[in-house]
Amino acid sequence: MIRHVVHFTWSDAADDARRAETVAALRRLPEQVPGSLGFTVAPDAGLVEGNAHAVLVADFPDAEAFRRYATDPVHLAVIAEHVRPYLAARSAVQYEL
C-alpha cells in the first residue's frame, strides 16, 4: 500500500473562504477519481505557529493506482483551478505502508 501525504501552505491571495473552497474541492476528489482506499483533507488545527495550512493524506493499493490518480485529468484540473493559483508552498511524500 502507498500513502500519499501533501502539506499545503496558502498564499496571501487565499482568504478563509478561498481556503475552505479549496479544501472542499480536494475532498471531492475520491468521488471523482477512483482508486484510493482512504482519503482525508483537513485544515491545520492551528496548534503550532509555522505549520502548513492544510494536509491531504491518501492511501492507494499500489504505486500504479497512485500514478493513475496523480495523472488523472480531473485531479490535474482541481490542482490547476483550486490549488496552484493560491499556493505559496507544497511538500509531498509517498511511502509504503
Side-chain angles (χ1 to χ4, degrees):
M1 185 175 333
I2 297 294
R3 177 161 286 165
H4 172 55
V5 180
V6 186
H7 296 159
F8 302 99
T9 300
W10 309 123
S11 69
D12 292 339
D15 61 14
D16 288 344
R18 176 71 253 172
R19 292 176 187 198
E21 187 174 332
T22 298
V23 166
L26 290 168
R27 284 179 175 163
R28 287 190 296 272
L29 280 172
E31 302 163 7
Q32 301 168 323
V33 180
S36 64
L37 300 174
F39 202 97
T40 302
V41 181
D44 181 61
L47 303 177
V48 178
E49 183 68 31
N51 279 0
H53 296 129
V55 65
L56 180 152
V57 179
D59 293 336
F60 297 90
D62 54 38
E64 286 306 312
F66 166 73
R67 287 186 186 106
R68 284 190 299 275
Y69 160 82
T71 59
D72 186 280
V74 172
H75 170 252
L76 296 175
V78 168
I79 298 305
E81 180 180 346
H82 294 282
V83 176
R84 198 167 290 128
Y86 308 101
L87 198 59
R90 175 191 176 277
S91 177
V93 63
Q94 297 81 40
Y95 61 93
E96 289 192 41
L97 291 177

